[in-house]
Amino acid sequence: MIGGGPSESLRYQPLPTASSSPSRRRPTGTMNWPTALLAYVAVAAAVGGASAALGSTVALPPISAHPANASQVIDRRLASFSFELSFLPTFAGNKSHPNLLTRELMKRLEERTGLGPDIRPGGITVDSSVFDPNAPALTLEQTAAGGIYKTTFGPDFFEFLDVFPSSSRVLWSVNLGNNTVGFAQAGIKAAIEHVGWDRLLAFELGNEADHYGGGSRPRGWSSADYTAQFLGWTSFLTRNLSLPHNIFLAGGFAEDPTSAAPMTTVSIIKDGADTTGVVKLFAQHTYQYSTCDPVRNAKATLPNLVNHRNVTAYLDLWKPQIAAAHKEGKEFIVGEYSSVSCSGKQNVTDTYGQALWLADTILYGGTINIARMHLHQGATLVFQSSQQANSAGFSWYDLWYPVETDRYGAPRAAPSFVAYLLVTEAIGNSGSSHFSLIDVPGRDDLAVYAIWDSAVRSSGIARLAVLNLVVRNESTSSADAAGAAVTLDLSGYLQQGKAATAKRMTAPGLDSKDSSRVTWAGQSYANGTAEGAEVVEKLTNGTITVGGSEGVLVFFA
């Protein structure tokens, strides 16, 4: 984010949190159970066997055998990344000292989809960045309070590429905020030389230009003003660097696209941004909650975060933006996102709850035809806001902590990393998957996504992702843990002659912060590699039980 963060009046307001029902029950068959769940299993066995343990069964509505009303084909890079430019070398390392944790985590994603995620070096520090061919990899000039006001990078900066899969593409951002086109020209020229056209996806001018007004631009800086500068700069850069057509990202705005937003994808298209043949894709940024000021900080809670209605209502704000981009024949991406702007929130975004939010957000984003979503990684920045709750250090929402620090200790994946494993396996490696959200009447706490994949099943759903968002914390009693679970009857979707299997995303509780106890298919990934034996569950009679604050991915083919 840039500046003080979106004003209170422009941000999405969460819906009331649905209360947990005591009739929902918890599954069996997972590893690393908390004591409450072990007690639940014992109680269930004592009171009468499987029927008592399974509790109420939910029957899903009919699901079409073919994706007639589903999403577009899901991009295998749907789950991608954005990195704060000034902190990318910390996350990536260089040729002689690559960050091994980052390398291993990226391998886990590539193994599942066959492609590395797209990488966007971006964020607020882009608009203070200058490329110097004689400079070292990175030089930061800071105020006494730690505010980065200039970022100089040299040729060795691009050694960050070595840690990412060769199939990862780069969305390269350059300085627009400084209002000096020569800085942008030098940055693009350097990327062409050091990244190469085989890995360059597009060029982005600046970061969150809708926040420039009253700062690097006059008050009243408007959509028309941005569009005029975008057209002028892209014309100049295309001509002077002999760039191909359709190579620029347009937009990348911070504010939620309400009627009060100063500029959106819809508005810049109306203003003519896509009239010269330079636009490859449109983008905006999404941060559902914020710690940029006390009022919004109070709303950034785990119950608000892990709430399916809040997730879908928030992302639905972008449907007109997505439709406008598609009408122009262009992709729409979320170029930067996380759950809580101004670097997340301790005990909220550094918990396993962030994994459930991520899984629901990415799966729903794909369902409404967002092509890719770039999860932001970085650290607290002084210039984000004068009222922000966070102090210096890696962001509380980071998916992993790349180096040892006093705050976080040893390098490790965050509890939320398992969400990217669930999502990438849901997507698969065929490049032919489609998503659809399945409405479950009366169960707002269940998020169910059908996945068609003609490469593995020609008729019928290939996979089904289920997220049970009923809150189950580490301190939850055995009785309440039992009540949080739900059993689904999936017998109607089985493929004749083939047994269905499932993988489970679970933790001791929604508030868990120990990555070694947060698992995907029975394995933890704190050090970037799988620890423990993989657990692939077989469905019995086509049913599966999903505990509160758990996710499962069912494979029908």
Side-chain angles (χ1 to χ4, degrees):
M1 305 295 287
I2 190 171
S7 63
E8 172 65 20
S9 62
L10 299 186
R11 299 301 293 188
Y12 164 79
Q13 300 299 307
L15 294 166
T17 302
S19 61
S20 301
S21 168
S23 65
R24 292 158 198 162
R25 306 185 77 84
R26 157 85 190 189
T28 61
T30 59
M31 297 181 66
N32 296 327
W33 292 351
T35 302
L37 296 192
L38 293 173
Y40 156 59
V41 174
V43 169
V47 299
S51 61
L54 293 176
S56 60
T57 298
V58 172
L60 299 181
I63 300 176
S64 171
H66 302 282
N69 297 310
S71 70
Q72 63 190 13
V73 174
I74 298 296
D75 192 319
R76 285 186 283 166
R77 299 181 176 99
L78 172 63
S80 285
F81 292 100
S82 168
F83 292 88
E84 191 64 45
L85 182 77
S86 294
F87 296 102
L88 179 53
T90 305
F91 278 86
N94 54 34
K95 285 183 178 179
S96 60
H97 295 88
N99 187 286
L100 299 181
L101 175 61
T102 299
R103 175 172 285 173
E104 288 299 324
L105 293 173
M106 295 304 101
K107 285 181 180 179
R108 302 293 81 78
L109 306 181
E110 185 185 34
E111 289 166 354
R112 287 161 168 80
T113 64
L115 292 174
D118 281 352
I119 305 302
R120 171 191 178 256
I124 183 176
T125 53
V126 160
D127 282 322
S128 68
S129 67
V130 178
F131 175 75
D132 181 345
N134 299 310
L138 186 71
T139 304
L140 303 180
E141 297 181 40
Q142 301 173 267
T143 66
I148 301 171
Y149 63 85
K150 186 177 182 182
T151 302
T152 303
F153 62 100
D156 289 348
F157 177 89
F158 293 95
E159 290 185 6
F160 79 83
L161 280 170
D162 284 14
V163 81
F164 295 102
S166 60
S167 55
S168 289
R169 304 175 302 185
V170 176
L171 173 56
W172 182 249
S173 302
V174 295
N175 189 336
L176 174 68
N178 188 266
N179 217 8
T180 303
V181 72
F183 290 163
Q185 183 175 359
I188 291 175
K189 185 178 179 181
I192 294 170
E193 179 180 353
H194 297 286
V195 178
W197 285 116
D198 59 329
R199 298 187 69 176
L200 280 169
L201 172 64
F203 298 117
E204 177 180 18
L205 300 181
N207 179 72
E208 299 178 348
D210 53 333
H211 281 180
Y212 289 178
S216 63
R217 301 294 189 277
R219 293 190 182 278
W221 164 255
S222 68
S223 175
D225 295 329
Y226 165 84
T227 302
Q229 185 162 28
F230 176 83
L231 292 173
W233 276 37
T234 55
S235 175
F236 173 86
L237 294 167
T238 298
R239 182 173 63 253
N240 283 274
L241 293 172
S242 300
L243 300 178
H245 292 295
N246 305 111
I247 196 61
F248 285 96
L249 177 150
F253 305 130
E255 297 291 343
D256 295 343
T258 67
S259 59
M263 55 194 76
T264 64
T265 296
V266 169
S267 73
I268 64 172
I269 288 174
K270 288 181 179 178
D271 290 330
D274 194 28
T275 57
T276 60
V278 298
V279 176
K280 184 169 188 174
L281 65 163
F282 290 92
Q284 291 188 229
H285 298 174
T286 65
Y287 285 88
Q288 192 171 344
Y289 299 96
S290 183
T291 52
C292 290
D293 56 72
V295 173
R296 287 180 292 161
N297 184 27
K299 298 175 183 176
T301 65
L302 265 177
N304 278 341
L305 194 71
V306 186
N307 183 305
H308 180 60
R309 291 188 300 158
N310 286 348
V311 167
T312 58
Y314 180 66
L315 287 180
D316 281 348
L317 295 174
W318 275 265
K319 283 183 174 178
Q321 314 305 315
I322 299 164
H326 288 179
K327 187 175 181 181
E328 298 297 303
K330 307 294 164 55
E331 289 182 324
F332 180 90
I333 70 168
V334 172
E336 178 184 321
Y337 82 104
S338 195
S339 53
V340 180
S341 68
C342 280
S343 301
K345 186 172 182 177
Q346 187 177 14
N347 298 323
V348 177
T349 61
D350 60 338
T351 71
Y352 168 67
Q354 174 86 347
L356 288 163
W357 178 85
L358 276 172
D360 201 11
T361 294
I362 302 170
L363 291 170
Y364 189 65
T367 297
I368 62 173
N369 297 325
I370 296 171
R372 289 171 299 282
M373 303 184 72
H374 293 255
L375 183 64
H376 199 55
Q377 309 296 295
T380 302
L381 296 163
V382 171
F383 293 147
Q384 287 178 134
S385 170
S386 61
Q387 296 181 293
Q388 64 183 312
N390 292 318
S391 57
F394 286 119
S395 297
W396 293 109
Y397 56 54
D398 284 341
L399 205 65
W400 70 98
Y401 308 116
V403 297
E404 185 169 4
T405 62
D406 291 339
R407 176 187 287 180
Y408 298 107
R412 70 185 190 282
S416 53
F417 177 74
V418 291
Y420 261 50
L421 300 179
L422 184 153
V423 167
T424 49
E425 291 201 35
I427 295 167
N429 61 14
S430 70
S432 60
S433 295
H434 299 263
F435 290 174
S436 183
L437 175 65
I438 306 303
D439 180 50
V440 185
R443 296 305 301 254
D444 289 336
D445 47 28
L446 280 182
V448 180
Y449 294 90
I451 302 151
W452 294 264
D453 185 346
S454 59
V456 298
R457 189 177 185 183
S458 59
S459 180
I461 56 173
R463 296 177 288 280
L464 189 78
V466 181
L467 307 174
N468 182 349
L469 303 179
V470 175
V471 173
R472 174 182 56 79
N473 288 321
E474 289 191 1
S475 60
T476 298
S477 69
S478 57
D480 288 343
V486 63
T487 298
L488 298 174
D489 180 2
L490 306 179
S491 57
Y493 313 116
L494 299 178
Q495 188 169 192
Q496 188 173 5
K498 290 192 176 182
T501 59
K503 294 183 179 182
R504 189 177 300 270
M505 182 176 78
T506 192
L510 187 71
D511 52 353
S512 297
K513 299 173 71 172
D514 183 352
S515 303
S516 68
R517 301 183 70 200
V518 176
T519 59
W520 168 246
Q523 298 174 309
S524 61
Y525 290 84
N527 68 357
T529 59
E531 293 289 332
E534 184 180 41
V535 177
V536 179
E537 304 170 36
K538 290 184 179 180
L539 272 64
T540 302
N541 299 321
T543 64
I544 189 165
T545 303
V546 188
S549 303
E550 282 194 336
V552 298
L553 182 63
V554 180
F555 299 81
F556 296 101

